[in-house]
Every structure is written in structure tokens, then in C-alpha cells.
Amino acid sequence: EPAARFAAKVRDIHEFLVDIGIEAPAAGTVPLRVTYQEPCHLAHAQRITAQPRQLLRQIAGLELCEMAESAVCCGSAGVYNVIQPDMALRLGSRKIDHALASGADVIATANPGCAVQLAGELQRRGATTPVRYIVELLDDAYRRAEDA
């Protein structure tokens, strides 16, 4: 029972920010083309798919470029990339193919494991496309608004 009470209070940051009505400042323009890579746990287990995109769309100047198969696993999957490295590499390669095909300047995600997996595949290819968290992009918008 104590664990259930605690779990009921825990929420994903993207879900929380949308629920409280946070908006990126209009003056904080972030002129980037961004594609969103959906972490499996967020999309499939928690059923949170709209909120990360909603937050990205609120950032002035940011263009959301959807990638194909955004909700297909990137190969990280907890420790999957450690216990099944060959399959994880194939999944990561497929995900990066789709991300790069979107034409985005930045790949956004919401999970540290996914960020490491994606960055690793980009590094293997010699690609310079950065992987960033949605909250980092929001932070950029707020900081730019302060400077404006």
C-alpha cells in the first residue's frame, strides 16, 4: 500500500508540464528542425505520446519533423543493448536512418538510455547531429527569452 501511494504521485515530466499548463516563452525562439524519438517505456508502457510533442510544438521557431517509426525501439531497452548487442545495433541503426531522413538538426528524446544509444550510433557513423532532451530545448527557449 505505501508503494502504491508513492507510485500514484510519480509522473513523467512531460505529462506534468502539460498538465500544469507550462508554455515556452514566445520570445525564446529556438530555430531548429527537431525530430522526436519516442522511448518505448514512455510510448508503450505509460502511453505518453502527445505531451512530448505538445511541448516541442510550443517552442517558438522550432519545427517538429516526425521520423518514420518513431515509436519503434532504438535498441537500448534497459539493458537490451548489453545482453543483445547485435540486435541493439541493428535497431539503433534503423532508428538513426529514420532520424536522419527526417532532415532534422536535432534528435530529441526523453530517456537517458535512448540518448546514449542514439548518440553511439551517430558517433559510429561520424554524424554530428546532436541528441537532446525535450527539457533542454525548453530550457534553451527560456534562456533566449531572458536574453531578448
Side-chain angles (χ1 to χ4, degrees):
E1 187 177 307
R5 281 196 313 270
F6 176 77
K9 296 176 186 177
V10 177
R11 303 184 58 207
D12 176 74
I13 186 66
H14 308 93
E15 178 184 36
F16 174 75
L17 292 175
V18 167
D19 285 352
I20 66 168
I22 193 169
E23 292 183 27
T29 301
V30 179
L32 291 172
R33 292 174 46 92
V34 176
T35 193
Y36 174 56
Q37 187 280 144
E38 295 181 276
C40 296
H41 81 281
L42 202 59
H44 305 298
Q46 293 177 259
R47 307 268 190 249
I48 296 172
T49 58
Q51 296 92 328
R53 288 175 172 84
Q54 184 175 342
L55 291 171
L56 288 168
R57 286 187 182 106
Q58 290 176 346
I59 299 173
L62 188 148
E63 179 186 351
L64 182 59
C65 309
E66 291 287 350
M67 74 168 77
E69 299 183 344
S70 66
V72 171
C73 182
C74 69
S76 176
V79 296
Y80 190 75
N81 54 356
V82 174
I83 61 173
Q84 294 290 333
D86 293 337
M87 179 59 79
L89 283 172
R90 284 194 298 275
L91 287 168
S93 179
R94 178 177 171 173
K95 180 64 73 156
I96 291 301
D97 286 344
H98 291 309
L100 295 176
S102 75
D105 305 312
V106 171
I107 301 169
T109 190
N111 178 276
C114 295
V116 169
Q117 178 77 355
L118 298 169
E121 179 60 26
L122 288 163
Q123 184 177 20
R124 275 187 284 287
R125 294 176 184 216
T128 59
T129 305
V131 178
R132 308 262 328 266
Y133 297 104
I134 295 166
V135 292
E136 287 182 300
L137 295 168
L138 282 169
D139 181 58
D140 286 352
Y142 284 108
R143 288 178 190 270
R144 290 173 190 233
E146 288 175 3
D147 295 340

